[in-house]
Amino acid sequence: MKLGFVDGPTSRWSIQHSSKAFNCHRSYPLLCKKSKHNLYHEQHALLQTLRHGGKAARTSFKQQASATPLITGSPPSVVASFSVWSTPSEQPAGALYSAPLCGRPLPLGAHAESALDAVNFSVFSSSATFISLCLFTEPDLQAGIVTAEIPLNPELNRTGDVWHIMVPGLKPGLLYGYRVSGLHQDGPELEGAGHRHDSSCIVLDPLARSIISRRRYGQLGPDLQFGNPGVLGLMRTWPQAAAPVPSVSSQNGGPGSEEAFDWQGDRPLGLAMEKLVIYEMHVRGFTQDSSSRVSSPGTYQGMIEKLDYLRELGVNAVELLPVQEFNELEYYSQIPGSDAYRFNYWGYSTIGYFAPMSRYSDAAAKGKSGQAVQNEFKTLVRECHRRGIEVILDVVFNHTAEGNDMGPTLSFRGLDNRVYYMLAPGGEYYNYSGCGNTFNCNHPVVRQFIVDCLRYWVLEYHVDGFRFDLASIMTRAHSAWHPTYAQDGSTSDSGQEEQAALGAEEGVAWAAEGLERTVDMEGLDPVDQQAASRPMGAMVDPVTGNMTNGGGVPTGTPLSDPPLIDMISEDPILRGTKLIAEAWDCDGLNQVGAFPHYGGRWSEWNGRFRDVVRNFIKGTDGPWAGDFASAICGSPNLYANSQPHETDWWGNNGGRKWRGGRSPSASVNFITAHDGFTLADLVSYNEKHNEANGEDNRDGESHNCSWNCGEEGINVVKWDVKRLRQRQMRNFMVALLVSHGVPMLHMGDEYGHSKGGNNNTYCHDSTLNWLNWSQALEDATGFQRFTKHMVQLRMRHPELQRSQYVTEREIQWHGEQPNTPDWSESSRLVAFSLNDFRGGGLYVAFNTAHTPRLLNLPRWQGIVWQPLVDSSKVAPYDFLTQDKELSETEVIKARVAASMWTAENVYPVLPWSCIVLEAVPEVKAQIQKSDIPGSASAYQ
């Protein structure tokens, strides 16, 4: 092996063997190690000169690039079998670590290598010119300074677009991040659009498994001289964050670790989708109120202490609002006209996709390790499973916390902005999310990142499924940037007039601060031309000038077969998980009923169900009776019918192939959710009242399909208004829980939580959003009891948990007379009977008119209709079942009293009320009645 020089401009290492030249892939770092070591240090110094020397320095270097060192000779045969990644990479040892090794490119992230007492760090960046690993002690992190910095050798610590280094002998308790150099489109030079590298920032590893900055929720960061040179972080609400370096002894809960996690045999529950009753909830809001009386309010630990409440309520799945790392102080500012401050309470602004939200952790608040934070969340999942409750995560892959071009550089932007975000040719951010940026979901690198993330939460944390926020964004075509071949020293990169060739060694620096090299292509074969080219301009349509995905499809176009959704749907690790799409986005794309589901793998939040039920229950004129009947059956008009409505743009175009052929479990039914009115406010307000948000009531949805029952506001005096509201809340709960599909309740609705008419409480960390345990347990109105029994009713009636749509044999529709339904636009009555074909069934009727109705019941041989639910009655007689409120004798007496109606096969339904009757054998009913001494048979 010999080091030589060749004439002519070239910028790649090659190994010459016979007359054939091979590109020197970075898997051969042993070649001429000493010479490369010298070159590395020389070129690192040169990089600094070029970085600060301006155009003159770069021009001078370009003129000197006519002779480039090459390694010639036969490659050593030992390379193929030698563990290249465990060899030294020429950086010296430091006070906190031993001499670094080359490391390996996969897996991405930081992983302990116990055999070498080392940690391997690996991060993707296709456009960085230089990367260094930054290490912190926690005191230094709080002070905004780097404790130690290890520059990565671009020859020895880079494979393809992955930068990697293995560091042995790391002191315990360290944290890490990366300093990344490269192009920035707003830099002093004319540089490539779309690049936003900033070497003044230390960015997070996208695969960081824990993130530490502030340790307590709502706590401001240290008061530093932010903005001064050498001081990291943006402000007290955005102090520098870093990821804990994995402990070699405790990696993955290894043997002998004090932090090893014991799953105690936990396995996936594997509940069928149609069997679920989902409870949408907020981890902090669940126990933050002092009335929770838990040891650690607002934490995973606090939630664990209250899980028995959920088990008693009867739900068997929780859908957690975002628990991936976010900054709750992102919006922190005083709300105008108030002493309160604005928070990012809901958390739909992700920073770290692999990291549990640390400030939801009791362990983090107590100064414990990142592994302890992870273990606390694992304990929550394990304890949910122990109680028969599955865990579904609300995930946000449509945008990140980095926002638009004015936002902070936290991670993805500083590593590879062109790859991770959907960009226009000039580098502007597409904003389908309404939050400033759009994650470039269908880019090959990004979609692999997303799938790896989902796998990680399933394998590492045993979660059971995911709800995807604004999932329609995940179906849009990505933006792509392509290599262009500079001919005769020119470049076609838009807005870039010159490039500097930094070609001494590939990867050390293709450019000073990212200037892309100019290479004379004359005489190079196509393979060498491709090797000598670099990603440059945007892939635009030559006619329209619009950004494309590289395949001719305009960026942002909804794809009929989106690669990301395909990958998730067919992934073997994710095969048993629940996948729920919020099938719309902020640019008007609505895919409800035709989200790409790949054989029914996906369910959808059914916003149509919400609107239909709201309109029918409040008694609105229109086609609501028929639509309500369809909603009761699991919305077959959306999920079974292959013919889209003429107004359904997506269903008539790219979504046509996904229409129809699905089951009721495709529909996740809800009436309220975290954004919008609570159930109590839905029946108490005609208009939103968001003044507390400080935006002059301009924010939030104005079209709520709500009715205040006669008086605006939650604190009414009139008794009749209060009673009507209680009826309406029960009507909504019955409609939700007798409908086919998958019902979802929102936290607090089970007892009637009010937010004072505020339908957009995203910014309030206060009692507006916190569950009030005193109100829930006192249950003054009996609504919490009613909700619990309705959930139990659903659980014990398989005919309500359907995997197939009902047929005319199983369901019959009625009016005031059996089998005579009224589907007119003035109809206020929907009634049906549902046969379970085991000798039982249900009769359900909703009267949303202002007048009572006397209904004739269908006659079933040997069956008596026994009253179970009547929303017009005062608790506890609204639900007749034996519990601590009603004895068995009281239940029987109430049913005997109702037999004056049922004996005649009729039943009255008061205005704005609903009933549920249960089919029981006539003999059983007679036995129950005979248990009351002195009673005469009312069934004879």
Side-chain angles (χ1 to χ4, degrees):
M1 180 108 11
K2 58 183 181 293
L3 182 67
F5 288 84
V6 298
D7 294 331
T10 182
S11 55
R12 69 191 191 287
W13 286 96
S14 61
I15 306 167
Q16 291 189 349
H17 181 57
S18 301
S19 60
K20 186 176 182 181
F22 298 84
N23 288 335
C24 178
H25 189 270
R26 298 179 183 88
S27 295
Y28 297 104
L30 297 181
L31 306 181
C32 200
K33 197 165 57 177
K34 183 175 180 181
S35 298
K36 289 189 177 183
H37 170 70
N38 294 334
L39 280 171
Y40 165 67
H41 287 287
E42 292 171 6
Q43 292 173 356
H44 181 52
L46 174 62
L47 178 64
Q48 300 306 311
T49 301
L50 293 171
R51 194 174 274 159
H52 304 290
K55 181 176 180 181
R58 290 191 286 274
T59 301
S60 175
F61 176 76
K62 181 177 179 181
Q63 294 170 349
Q64 299 173 27
S66 59
T68 302
L70 287 180
I71 298 176
T72 59
S74 302
S77 60
V78 296
V79 169
S81 60
F82 197 88
S83 295
V84 169
W85 49 268
S86 63
T87 59
S89 58
E90 309 303 337
Q91 297 94 338
L96 301 177
Y97 54 88
S98 303
L101 310 176
C102 289
R104 56 184 177 186
L106 295 176
L108 293 171
H111 297 271
E113 300 286 349
S114 57
L116 296 173
D117 187 31
V119 175
N120 190 78
F121 299 87
S122 177
V123 67
F124 165 84
S125 178
S126 67
S127 54
T129 59
F130 204 78
I131 291 182
S132 59
L133 175 68
C134 297
L135 299 173
F136 301 86
T137 62
E138 191 162 347
D140 281 351
L141 180 72
Q142 297 300 318
I145 57 176
V146 174
T147 307
E149 187 162 351
I150 308 173
L152 272 63
N153 183 328
E155 175 63 28
L156 305 181
N157 299 120
R158 186 177 183 184
T159 302
D161 291 332
V162 178
W163 300 69
H164 47 81
I165 189 169
M166 187 177 293
V167 186
L170 284 159
K171 301 298 183 184
L174 294 175
L175 303 107
Y176 78 99
Y178 294 101
R179 191 189 304 275
V180 184
S181 299
L183 286 164
H184 194 296
Q185 69 174 39
D186 297 332
E189 301 289 342
L190 293 173
E191 301 174 351
H195 292 301
R196 291 191 176 272
H197 297 295
D198 186 347
S199 59
S200 68
C201 300
I202 308 301
V203 298
L204 288 163
D205 182 353
L207 281 85
R209 300 188 174 197
S210 295
I211 294 175
I212 298 296
S213 59
R214 299 168 292 103
R215 282 190 169 268
R216 291 183 179 275
Y217 189 98
Q219 175 188 58
L220 290 173
D223 188 8
L224 306 176
Q225 298 299 312
F226 294 106
N228 286 358
V231 178
L232 298 172
L234 298 174
M235 57 189 73
R236 295 188 70 186
T237 57
W238 283 104
Q240 182 63 44
V245 173
S247 169
V248 175
S249 62
S250 66
Q251 176 73 358
N252 298 322
S257 165
E258 294 180 359
E259 298 176 327
F261 186 75
D262 182 5
W263 278 105
Q264 299 177 3
D266 178 72
R267 299 291 299 166
L269 297 179
L271 301 177
M273 193 71 187
E274 65 270 13
K275 302 292 184 182
L276 297 188
V277 176
I278 300 173
Y279 186 81
E280 187 200 31
M281 63 176 297
H282 189 282
V283 169
R284 177 172 171 84
F286 190 56
T287 62
Q288 181 58 28
D289 194 271
S290 60
S291 61
S292 70
R293 299 183 179 179
V294 298
S295 61
S296 303
T299 65
Y300 305 125
Q301 177 58 40
M303 181 175 165
I304 292 168
E305 295 176 31
K306 288 293 189 178
L307 285 178
D308 286 339
Y309 170 83
L310 297 179
R311 178 172 61 181
E312 292 170 4
L313 186 61
V315 299
N316 57 8
V318 290
E319 183 175 300
L320 304 181
L321 267 68
V323 295
Q324 294 163 311
E325 186 71 23
F326 66 91
N327 182 6
E328 76 280 9
L329 300 182
E330 180 178 354
Y331 315 138
Y332 193 74
S333 60
Q334 188 168 2
I335 298 175
S338 168
D339 294 332
Y341 281 77
R342 184 176 284 113
F343 283 77
N344 173 18
Y345 177 76
W346 288 341
Y348 288 89
S349 194
T350 309
I351 294 172
Y353 286 96
F354 285 70
M357 172 59 171
S358 60
R359 290 171 301 285
Y360 283 172
S361 168
D362 177 57
K366 292 177 178 176
K368 295 183 179 180
S369 68
Q371 185 66 49
V373 173
Q374 297 174 48
N375 287 351
E376 187 175 337
F377 187 80
K378 290 177 182 178
T379 303
L380 170 60
V381 176
R382 185 191 67 196
E383 294 307 306
C384 282
H385 287 175
R386 194 188 303 277
R387 292 162 176 81
I389 299 171
E390 293 194 331
V391 178
I392 299 169
L393 302 188
D394 195 338
V395 292
V396 188
F397 289 113
N398 59 78
H399 76 284
T400 76
E402 292 182 303
N404 59 20
D405 59 309
M406 302 298 292
T409 296
L410 306 172
S411 180
F412 303 99
R413 171 176 292 160
L415 283 164
D416 210 322
N417 191 61
R418 281 183 173 183
V419 166
Y420 285 113
Y421 292 111
M422 196 182 289
L423 304 176
E428 304 90 348
Y429 291 97
Y430 281 79
N431 189 21
Y432 293 113
S433 68
C435 297
N437 65 52
T438 303
F439 215 41
N440 209 20
C441 293
N442 281 297
H443 187 287
V445 170
V446 181
R447 66 179 184 250
Q448 186 63 60
F449 169 83
I450 293 173
V451 170
D452 287 346
C453 178
L454 300 177
R455 285 177 169 181
Y456 175 73
W457 284 94
V458 169
L459 295 174
E460 186 72 14
Y461 291 103
H462 293 199
V463 302
D464 303 281
F466 305 93
R467 179 265 186 188
F468 295 82
D469 184 62
L470 298 183
S472 290
I473 284 176
M474 297 163 59
T475 72
R476 292 185 180 270
H478 64 284
S479 59
W481 303 75
H482 64 89
T484 55
Y485 304 130
Q487 301 292 342
D488 301 322
S490 65
T491 175
S492 62
D493 196 13
S494 175
Q496 186 170 338
E497 296 180 351
E498 77 169 57
Q499 302 170 351
L502 303 184
E505 183 175 4
E506 182 185 17
V508 172
W510 279 103
E513 286 298 340
L515 283 183
E516 300 179 30
R517 67 178 178 179
T518 301
V519 179
D520 186 355
M521 297 293 179
E522 185 175 356
L524 295 181
D525 62 34
V527 174
D528 286 339
Q529 286 185 8
Q530 185 173 1
S533 64
R534 294 290 292 171
M536 294 163 64
M539 281 192 166
V540 299
D541 184 290
V543 176
T544 65
N546 293 332
M547 197 73 171
T548 74
N549 68 347
V553 179
T555 294
T557 301
L559 302 173
S560 181
D561 279 298
L564 172 60
I565 305 302
D566 188 4
M567 282 184 67
I568 294 173
S569 304
E570 302 300 333
D571 187 82
I573 301 299
L574 304 177
R575 174 56 61 180
T577 60
K578 276 75 177 177
L579 303 174
I580 302 171
E582 184 184 36
W584 55 82
D585 66 20
C586 290
D587 196 56
L589 177 59
N590 191 316
Q591 298 174 314
V592 173
F595 188 84
H597 55 81
Y598 291 91
R601 280 288 288 122
W602 291 75
S603 298
E604 301 170 9
W605 264 29
N606 189 348
R608 177 68 178 165
F609 177 95
R610 171 199 59 208
D611 296 343
V612 165
V613 173
R614 288 186 179 191
N615 276 294
F616 178 73
I617 293 297
K618 74 186 183 78
T620 308
D621 281 334
W624 303 115
D627 289 351
F628 181 71
S630 180
I632 289 287
C633 294
S635 302
N637 57 324
L638 289 176
Y639 300 108
N641 183 9
S642 62
Q643 299 302 313
H645 191 273
E646 61 181 10
T647 61
D648 183 359
W649 176 86
W650 170 249
N652 282 288
N653 290 278
R656 187 63 179 261
K657 63 185 292 185
W658 302 114
R659 287 280 311 189
R662 300 167 76 179
S663 71
S665 62
S667 176
V668 175
N669 301 329
F670 66 102
I671 296 167
T672 60
H674 65 276
D675 51 349
F677 280 149
T678 66
L679 189 58
D681 289 347
L682 185 65
V683 300
S684 303
Y685 294 91
N686 286 347
E687 308 294 337
K688 64 180 181 178
H689 293 269
N690 297 359
E691 292 83 3
N693 299 352
E695 301 177 43
D696 296 327
N697 205 32
R698 295 188 305 269
D699 62 307
E701 176 61 56
S702 296
H703 182 67
N704 296 288
C705 306
S706 61
W707 179 41
N708 65 16
C709 297
E711 187 174 347
E712 188 79 355
I714 194 71
N715 298 314
V716 300
V717 177
K718 295 179 180 178
W719 180 88
D720 58 336
V721 173
K722 290 182 178 180
R723 281 296 307 133
L724 180 53
R725 289 177 178 177
Q726 287 298 314
R727 288 187 192 181
Q728 289 290 74
M729 288 173 63
R730 284 160 174 76
N731 295 339
F732 279 120
M733 192 60 69
V734 172
L736 177 66
L737 289 168
V738 302
S739 293
H740 302 156
V742 183
M744 185 186 79
L745 290 75
H746 176 59
M747 182 182 83
D749 278 349
E750 70 273 16
Y751 68 81
H753 183 82
S754 172
K755 297 180 182 180
N758 193 328
N759 70 357
N760 191 32
T761 57
Y762 73 98
C763 59
H764 294 282
D765 179 40
S766 70
T767 54
L768 275 181
N769 282 313
W770 300 342
L771 192 144
N772 186 315
W773 287 91
S774 297
Q775 189 177 349
L777 298 179
E778 179 187 3
D779 195 23
T781 66
F783 190 61
Q784 199 262 8
R785 171 187 179 271
F786 182 87
T787 301
K788 177 175 68 174
H789 287 312
M790 278 303 307
V791 172
Q792 293 172 352
L793 170 68
R794 181 181 182 88
M795 291 298 189
R796 69 172 183 264
H797 279 273
E799 65 268 31
L800 299 177
Q801 309 165 49
R802 299 189 60 86
S803 58
Q804 300 293 328
Y805 286 104
V806 289
T807 65
E808 293 180 354
R809 178 171 175 266
E810 296 156 311
I811 192 169
Q812 292 81 43
W813 298 99
H814 312 295
E816 289 190 349
Q817 298 295 326
N819 302 306
T820 59
D822 178 5
W823 304 126
S824 70
E825 293 200 356
S826 61
S827 174
R828 300 289 188 275
L829 176 66
V830 170
F832 64 94
S833 54
L834 195 61
N835 197 328
D836 67 4
F837 295 101
R838 299 188 314 276
L842 297 171
Y843 176 89
V844 183
F846 294 86
N847 176 23
T848 64
H850 65 280
T851 55
R853 310 291 284 270
L854 183 63
L855 306 182
N856 287 269
L857 306 177
R859 296 182 181 273
W860 289 6
Q861 184 66 35
I863 291 296
V864 171
W865 292 110
Q866 185 168 269
L868 187 62
V869 174
D870 189 336
S871 65
S872 70
K873 296 188 179 298
V874 176
Y877 293 95
D878 51 353
F879 199 112
L880 295 178
T881 190
Q882 180 185 351
D883 61 5
K884 65 180 181 180
E885 300 297 329
L886 281 178
S887 68
E888 182 180 11
T889 299
E890 289 172 316
V891 170
I892 295 173
K893 284 183 177 180
R895 286 175 175 160
V896 168
S899 65
M900 62 177 291
W901 301 106
T902 56
E904 299 298 326
N905 224 51
V906 297
Y907 204 89
V909 186
L910 295 186
W912 288 295
S913 299
C914 70
I915 60 170
V916 179
L917 311 179
E918 197 168 23
V920 296
E922 186 174 1
V923 173
K924 180 180 179 181
Q926 290 176 338
I927 293 173
Q928 290 177 344
K929 178 209 58 75
S930 66
D931 290 339
I932 303 176
S935 65
S937 175
Y939 297 101
Q940 296 176 350

